[in-house]
Amino acid sequence: MKNILVLMAFVFGITAFANSCEKAVKSKESFSEREKKEEMENKNLKEVYFAGGCFWGTEHFFQQIRGVVSTEVGYANGNKKNPTYEEVISHTTGFAETVKVKYDPEQVDLKLLIDLYFKTIDPTSKDQQGNDRGDQYRTGIYSTDKETEAIIKSEVEKLAKNYKKPVLVETIPLKNFYSAEAYHQDYLEKNPGGYCHIEPGLFEMAKNANPPKAVKYQKQDKKTLKSKLTSEQYSVTQENATERPFENEYWDETREGIYVDITTGEPLFVSTDKFESGCGWPSFSKPITQKLIEEKKDGSAGMERIEVRSKTGDAHLGHVFDDGPKDKGGLRYCINSASLKFVPKAEMKAKGYGDYISLLDKK
């Protein structure tokens, strides 16, 4: 079915496709850049590869699950380099349509991801899911490390006990994976009415399958903080030190996202309220709410200033001044980067800050 749709799109949309080639290339490059940033910002992310029929639906399904940080559709475990879609559907390259899933194991368990995946497939069907037929639609879960492989094999063995027919889900290590063409990426997000072999109600089920746990932010003791913070983060938050201007992590950060207390994880500021003040430290026009911070008179360094501290964590954040933009309220919360942890918008849902995404809407 999907092959017919793609062929029709090719016949009737070849001109539009040609005009969009440059945009497609740029889209693919930006996706790669985003992946690199994710890896730099979160070394604890893990990955697993799911083949479950048409990758349009399988990708969209995993995108609904809290804890999944990013997805990418592509071709796995074939016998040539850099295959095209046309080569894959020719049944000569041995590739399976596959979704690369990066997830945060602190937010979602691999066993849950596998269990949810099982709900989208017929595990006893050979080279067919829904209306799609061909070896590229075979099912499989592919791993890149021994620990993940062991979990996959165990879960598939448990599943097999529920069937009289043989379960045909492949449980082999990933041999290779090549990213699919740009127009395949996030296909159902860009084309909500597009073809999908997965029953629509399963998307809603996936969205609710891993609800966030109630978060209670708590102040940490000094010993714990010393073990988890860098020396600069500790001296700034616990000893009221000040980091160097223009040589700190977030003074020139421009991405959308949320800034949380480095000591507790509690949200404090959003990028929508951040502005360039020229002072060399992150500057915000206001906190998310005044209830999150405490302001105190500070007579240190021979100056009269207003110190800003996080209320729950009692961490020193910086100072507030009245020389901010008038159209933003006139205040400038001058905050040390070392007091903050930045969570990019793309990761907010997975890391438990989904309720704050609406604050990022442009004002």
Side-chain angles (χ1 to χ4, degrees):
M1 171 65 98
K2 187 183 70 176
N3 296 348
I4 296 173
L5 292 173
V6 171
L7 181 60
M8 290 175 63
F10 177 78
V11 172
F12 295 105
I14 189 169
T15 302
F17 177 75
N19 290 337
S20 67
C21 279
E22 184 178 354
K23 291 181 181 179
V25 170
K26 290 180 179 178
S27 173
K28 202 163 186 178
E29 288 174 349
S30 64
F31 185 91
S32 176
E33 290 168 3
R34 189 169 76 236
E35 289 250 300
K36 289 177 182 176
K37 286 178 181 177
E38 285 169 359
E39 290 174 2
M40 291 174 63
E41 289 162 359
N42 192 338
K43 305 267 186 201
N44 297 321
L45 293 183
K46 300 202 73 172
E47 63 184 39
V48 62
Y49 296 74
F50 291 94
C54 171
F55 52 20
W56 291 347
T58 303
E59 178 184 43
H60 192 63
F61 179 80
F62 280 105
Q63 288 175 338
Q64 310 310 307
I65 304 171
R66 189 183 71 84
V68 171
V69 175
S70 68
T71 58
E72 180 180 5
V73 298
Y75 314 117
N77 290 358
N79 55 30
K80 78 180 301 286
K81 291 184 178 180
N82 299 311
T84 64
Y85 179 72
E86 288 70 25
E87 288 173 325
V88 171
I89 65 175
S90 71
H91 310 300
T92 61
T93 59
F95 283 98
E97 290 197 8
T98 302
V99 180
K100 176 182 179 180
V101 173
K102 279 198 171 186
Y103 67 97
D104 183 347
E106 295 182 3
Q107 299 290 331
V108 63
D109 186 69
L110 174 60
K111 291 181 180 180
L112 177 60
L113 293 179
I114 294 172
D115 181 63
L116 292 172
Y117 159 78
F118 287 154
K119 299 181 188 306
T120 69
I121 64 169
D122 176 355
T124 66
S125 178
K126 180 177 174 57
D127 297 342
Q128 179 180 356
Q129 293 297 317
N131 296 321
D132 299 307
R133 302 183 182 186
D135 63 347
Q136 77 269 29
Y137 298 119
R138 67 186 183 273
T139 57
I141 312 175
Y142 310 126
S143 55
T144 57
D145 62 83
K146 293 295 184 182
E147 181 184 3
T148 299
E149 182 183 5
I151 294 172
I152 292 170
K153 287 183 179 293
S154 175
E155 293 304 299
V156 172
E157 286 172 4
K158 290 178 188 176
L159 177 73
K161 294 177 182 178
N162 300 320
Y163 291 86
K164 293 182 179 180
K165 294 181 181 180
V167 165
L168 303 177
V169 179
E170 294 181 330
T171 58
I172 59 177
L174 184 76
K175 181 174 72 173
N176 52 33
F177 177 82
Y178 298 98
S179 180
E181 293 80 354
Y183 68 90
H184 285 303
Q185 307 295 337
D186 304 312
Y187 184 84
L188 288 182
E189 186 176 327
K190 295 180 287 190
N191 303 276
Y195 165 74
C196 180
H197 69 291
I198 296 176
E199 193 275 312
L202 290 177
F203 296 124
E204 191 64 27
M205 181 272 293
K207 192 177 295 183
N208 299 316
N210 187 33
K213 297 175 183 177
V215 179
K216 186 176 181 180
Y217 302 106
Q218 293 181 319
K219 180 180 178 180
Q220 305 291 309
D221 60 71
K222 299 283 187 180
K223 183 178 179 181
T224 300
L225 290 174
K226 274 203 169 182
S227 67
K228 66 181 283 190
L229 300 179
T230 66
S231 59
E232 182 173 48
Q233 289 169 340
Y234 186 87
S235 63
V236 168
T237 60
Q238 306 305 305
E239 298 170 345
N240 293 16
T242 300
E243 65 195 4
R244 294 174 66 86
F246 303 104
E247 296 181 16
N248 52 82
E249 192 169 6
Y250 303 129
W251 75 271
D252 60 349
E253 176 61 69
T254 59
R255 288 175 294 167
E256 288 187 291
I258 193 167
Y259 294 82
V260 305
D261 184 343
I262 192 68
T263 68
T264 66
E266 187 170 30
L268 297 174
F269 302 93
V270 292
S271 58
T272 315
D273 298 315
K274 190 171 187 287
F275 63 92
E276 173 53 57
S277 66
C279 70
W281 291 282
S283 296
F284 303 89
S285 57
K286 65 179 186 296
I288 293 173
T289 170
Q290 289 294 138
K291 295 179 181 179
L292 298 171
I293 65 169
E294 189 170 359
E295 298 181 5
K296 296 181 175 182
K297 288 184 178 181
D298 177 13
S300 64
M303 295 181 284
E304 292 294 328
R305 296 176 294 175
I306 302 297
E307 180 194 8
V308 181
R309 303 186 71 86
S310 60
K311 186 163 286 187
T312 300
D314 190 30
H316 172 70
L317 303 177
H319 294 85
V320 59
F321 303 95
D322 60 4
D323 57 1
K326 297 300 181 185
D327 60 340
K328 291 180 178 289
L331 296 178
R332 172 172 62 92
Y333 285 83
C334 184
I335 307 298
N336 289 280
S337 291
S339 299
L340 305 172
K341 170 68 177 176
F342 175 68
V343 181
K345 182 179 181 180
E347 297 178 22
M348 285 174 61
K349 182 178 178 182
K351 293 190 173 180
Y353 300 107
D355 291 343
Y356 295 88
I357 292 177
S358 62
L359 298 180
L360 303 182
D361 293 340
K362 298 296 182 182
K363 298 176 181 178

